[in-house]
């Protein structure tokens, strides 16, 4: 039976992903000087992260955390302008959770998330979600005011130019994948990829869309065009951890 990875498309995430993203964000968020610090982040480093369901869930957690980092200034401004923050009922230890969940809420155009069957309920996530829903109209209005103020067609305007250029370069880089030789051989991995319509070529310079190459220096590493990244992560090879994204 074919296994699949966690499929989530702007319907929100299971509680565990929000919680793990908040813990990651807590460790990477920008610490501001006392003069500029208007949003307080407590310390949640002592509590452990929840186990990731699969590699895709791990990637989603890190992706959500880094989106929180990328738009940290904007998200904090939305919280302050809407009057959502400060809230004395929410301790500083949950501010990171508030920020990453706000990013996801605006990414869903302030639509309520889909409820996932059999997901593990996390009390803190549920409380923050209900709090954000109470202020949803004010949060959306605050974002609209900020976009009008800065004449921004989208929130990408608020990404620093240096970071925007780095992301453009990164998005064009080839995708590197490790073969988990404890579970599959190079030959079997190549055979499986061929059955899925991908063609092996000699080097990156020969890339077309549905192609890949074996790394010249590490024969347990495969290289794919950047345009295939999302499709690759949905293969059962990744769900079974036979291939691992570098």
């Amino acid at each position: 039976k074919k296994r699949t990875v966690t499929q989530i498309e702007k319907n929100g995430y299971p509680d565990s992903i929000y919680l793990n993203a908040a813990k990651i964000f807590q460790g990477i968020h920008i610490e501001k000087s006392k003069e500029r610090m208007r949003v307080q982040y407590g310390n949640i480093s002592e509590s452990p992260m929840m186990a990731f369901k699969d590699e895709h869930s791990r990637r989603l957690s890190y992706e959500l955390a880094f989106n929180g980092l990328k738009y940290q200034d904007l998200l904090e401004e939305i919280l302050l302008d809407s009057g959502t923050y400060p809230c004395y009922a929410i301790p500083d230890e949950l501010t990171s959770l508030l920020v990453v969940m706000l990013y996801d809420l605006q990414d869903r155009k302030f639509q309520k998330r889909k409820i996932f069957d059999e997901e593990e309920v996390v009390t803190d996530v549920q409380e923050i979600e209900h709090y954000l829903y109470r202020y949803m109209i004010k949060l959306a209005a605050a974002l609209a005011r900020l976009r009008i103020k800065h004449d921004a067609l989208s929130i990408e305007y608020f990404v620093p130019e240096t970071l925007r250029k780095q992301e453009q370069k990164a998005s064009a880089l080839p995708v590197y994948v490790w073969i988990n030789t404890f579970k599959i051989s190079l030959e079997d991995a190549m055979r499986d990829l061929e059955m899925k319509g991908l063609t092996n070529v000699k080097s990156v310079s020969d890339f077309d869309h549905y192609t890949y190459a074996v790394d010249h220096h590490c024969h347990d590493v495969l290289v794919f065009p950047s345009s295939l990244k999302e499709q690759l992560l949905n293969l059962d090879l990744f769900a079974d951890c036979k291939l691992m994204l570098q």
Side-chain angles (χ1 to χ4, degrees), residues 18-241:
Y18 290 118
L19 188 65
N20 284 337
K23 293 178 186 297
I24 297 165
F25 176 79
Q26 178 69 21
I28 63 175
H29 75 274
I30 299 171
E31 294 280 357
K32 299 179 181 178
S33 63
K34 291 184 178 180
E35 296 76 22
R36 295 181 58 231
M37 186 183 298
R38 294 189 293 164
V39 175
Q40 302 289 331
Y41 295 90
N43 183 11
I44 61 172
S45 58
E46 295 180 0
S47 56
M49 294 177 68
M50 298 183 70
F52 295 107
K53 179 181 177 182
D54 49 41
E55 186 61 27
H56 192 55
S57 296
R58 180 194 301 272
R59 187 176 68 87
L60 288 173
S61 298
Y62 277 92
E63 187 177 83
L64 181 56
F66 277 94
N67 277 325
L69 175 66
K70 186 163 63 173
Y71 296 104
Q72 180 179 334
D73 286 345
L74 172 64
L75 296 169
E76 290 179 354
E77 196 64 38
I78 292 172
L79 289 171
L80 292 164
D81 187 73
S82 65
T84 309
Y85 185 92
C87 173
Y88 298 106
I90 297 177
D92 292 344
E93 286 72 23
L94 294 182
T95 302
S96 290
L97 184 58
L98 184 66
V99 169
V100 298
M101 292 189 72
L102 172 59
Y103 170 81
D104 180 59
L105 181 60
Q106 67 77 33
D107 195 42
R108 301 195 317 265
K109 311 299 182 186
F110 295 95
Q111 299 296 313
K112 292 187 176 182
R113 69 167 167 155
K114 174 184 175 182
I115 302 300
F116 293 86
D117 296 333
E118 300 179 1
E119 73 167 270
E120 185 175 349
V121 174
V122 179
T123 302
D124 287 342
V125 172
Q126 297 286 322
E127 289 179 356
I128 294 296
E129 180 174 56
H130 294 152
Y131 181 70
L132 287 172
Y133 285 169
R134 281 169 48 199
Y135 284 85
M136 197 146 53
I137 294 176
K138 291 184 176 181
L139 290 165
L143 174 58
R145 284 193 296 270
L146 287 168
R147 287 180 55 183
I148 292 170
K149 177 181 178 181
H150 295 278
D151 195 23
L153 294 176
S154 69
I155 67 167
E156 279 73 23
Y157 170 89
F158 297 94
V159 178
E161 185 177 358
T162 53
L163 180 56
R164 196 180 305 124
K165 289 181 178 178
Q166 288 175 358
E167 287 186 330
Q168 289 172 350
K169 290 179 181 178
S171 65
L173 292 175
V175 176
Y176 287 81
V177 171
W178 289 96
I179 299 172
N180 183 354
T181 53
F182 289 105
K183 292 193 171 188
I184 194 171
S185 66
L186 169 63
E187 293 74 18
D188 286 343
M190 293 175 67
R191 190 178 301 113
D192 197 309
L193 291 169
E194 183 178 344
M195 291 174 61
K196 289 177 171 58
L198 282 88
T199 303
N200 177 230
V201 295
K202 290 184 177 180
S203 69
V204 173
S205 59
D206 298 320
F207 275 174
D208 193 356
H209 184 53
Y210 289 102
T211 52
Y212 72 96
V214 179
D215 187 89
H216 290 168
H217 303 288
C218 301
H219 291 168
D220 57 351
V221 172
L222 303 178
V223 192
F224 297 84
S226 59
S227 58
L228 282 179
K229 183 175 181 180
E230 290 301 321
Q231 290 173 258
L232 289 173
L233 291 169
N234 289 327
L235 296 179
D236 52 0
L237 287 169
F238 281 86
D240 292 329
C241 296

